[in-house]
């Protein structure tokens, strides 16, 4: 059974630093087990953006094995990659524009005329990566590290409460024709089978507005975020505003 842990930071800067340390440790673990290529799945949102900006800083960037990492996305709005709402644009501006050579190793979710075709194309990208490495290591997970966010309604990636994507188990990526919150922009998301196929997964949760969702998860509510697991360890990285008065209590699912 995978371990679960909670790390609470005083503020957003502390959360970003703890998230950066978590990522470095996750990748070091994979390298120690002989992984020649490392796969990281990124999240959108303002809290991960702070992490990406920190990773781009020279002191942290120098500690990342850039030449080994392949970067993927847990979801994105179905908009052009230069659109202000695009997770691809956010990650590029915060991280990849300032990183050492990443050409060919950043796998953005495609955008084009047909959302279903684009989801299928990303599925093929993921399956090709799996097939390549599982020839050498049949038990290798799809990802070495997955970064998740938490919505106020309990969603993660673009897996919204009550939406059909929650039930997709035969695909790694799927179209979400209508998001579960305004502005209801269509999206492409990884599914639970993809997100849960990871050595290490971390939720980055900041702000008092996320506290009610955390409380619902602690109470056992069947929210999308409650269905996220990890092969090795699931980590909840919270700031005190999100943890609130219950900062010393365990995160959802932690005993």
């Amino acid at each position: 059974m995978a371990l679960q842990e909670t790390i609470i930071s005083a503020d957003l800067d502390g959360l970003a630093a703890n998230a950066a340390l978590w990522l470095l440790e996750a990748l070091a673990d994979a390298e120690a087990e002989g992984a020649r290529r490392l796969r990281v799945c990124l999240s959108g949102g303002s809290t991960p953006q702070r992490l990406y900006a920190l990773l781009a800083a020279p002191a942290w960037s120098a500690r990342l094995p850039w030449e080994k990492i392949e970067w993927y996305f847990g979801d994105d709005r179905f908009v052009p990659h230069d659109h202000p709402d695009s997770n691809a644009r956010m990650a590029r501006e915060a991280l990849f524009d300032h990183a050492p050579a990443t050409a060919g190793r950043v796998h953005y979710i495609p955008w084009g005329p047909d959302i279903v075709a684009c989801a299928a194309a990303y599925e093929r990208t993921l399956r090709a990566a799996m097939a390549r490495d599982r020839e050498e290591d049949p038990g290798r997970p799809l990802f070495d590290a997955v970064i998740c966010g938490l919505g106020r309604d309990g969603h993660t990636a673009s897996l919204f409460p009550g939406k059909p994507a929650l039930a997709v188990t035969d695909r790694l990526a799927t179209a979400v024709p209508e998001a579960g919150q305004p502005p209801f922009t269509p999206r492409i998301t990884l599914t639970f089978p993809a997100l849960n196929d990871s050595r290490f997964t971390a939720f980055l949760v900041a702000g008092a507005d996320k506290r009610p969702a955390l409380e619902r998860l602690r109470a056992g509510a069947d929210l999308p975020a409650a269905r996220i697991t990890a092969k090795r360890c699931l980590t909840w990285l919270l700031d005190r505003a999100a943890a609130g008065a219950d900062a010393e209590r365990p995160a959802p699912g932690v005993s």
Side-chain angles (χ1 to χ4, degrees):
M1 183 177 179
L3 297 173
Q4 297 194 46
E5 65 177 357
T6 307
I7 299 173
I8 298 173
S9 306
D11 52 27
L12 282 170
D13 289 336
L15 192 158
N18 279 326
L21 286 171
W22 167 86
L23 179 60
L24 289 172
E25 291 171 1
L27 297 179
D29 182 272
E31 286 187 291
E33 293 194 0
R36 293 189 299 166
R37 289 176 290 267
L38 306 170
R39 289 194 287 270
V40 177
C41 183
L42 301 177
S43 172
S46 58
T47 305
Q49 183 177 17
R50 190 174 292 247
L51 164 64
Y52 305 156
L54 185 64
L55 292 174
W60 288 94
S61 181
R63 300 172 66 181
L64 280 169
W66 287 99
E67 72 284 356
K68 294 184 178 181
I69 304 174
E70 294 195 1
W71 306 87
Y72 298 82
F73 288 79
D75 74 322
D76 207 347
R77 296 172 183 87
F78 197 57
V79 295
H81 289 167
D82 59 355
H83 191 282
D85 292 339
S86 170
N87 290 340
R89 174 177 171 170
M90 181 273 283
R92 188 182 68 249
E93 292 181 346
L95 178 57
F96 299 125
D97 282 353
H98 315 283
T102 57
R105 294 199 299 275
V106 180
H107 303 281
Y108 297 111
I109 294 175
W111 178 81
D114 186 333
I115 190 172
V116 173
C118 288
Y122 208 54
E123 167 111 14
R124 290 192 295 272
T125 296
L126 294 168
R127 291 199 180 277
M130 293 170 65
R132 180 183 59 193
D133 285 341
R134 286 181 177 175
E135 289 180 1
E136 303 170 4
D137 180 4
R140 168 156 186 174
L142 172 57
F143 296 114
D144 297 296
V146 168
I147 297 168
C148 289
L150 176 68
R152 286 177 289 181
D153 60 354
H155 83 267
T156 192
S158 286
L159 297 166
F160 294 95
K163 293 296 184 179
L166 297 180
V168 176
T169 59
D170 61 344
R171 281 166 280 161
L172 300 178
T174 191
V176 179
E178 182 182 87
Q181 63 183 29
F184 304 109
T185 306
R187 304 182 183 205
I188 291 175
T189 187
L190 298 196
T191 60
F192 288 120
L195 293 170
N196 289 343
D197 195 8
S198 177
R199 294 178 194 269
F200 296 93
T201 296
F203 275 92
L204 276 58
V205 186
D209 61 331
K210 302 297 178 68
R211 201 181 307 162
L214 286 169
E215 284 300 311
R216 292 181 66 194
L217 289 166
R218 287 191 181 102
D222 183 22
L223 300 175
R227 304 187 196 182
I228 294 294
T229 62
K231 304 294 185 185
R232 191 71 54 81
C233 185
L234 176 64
T235 301
W236 289 84
L237 293 161
L238 316 176
D239 72 351
R240 288 199 175 274
D246 297 320
E248 303 309 318
R249 290 176 57 190
V254 181
S255 59

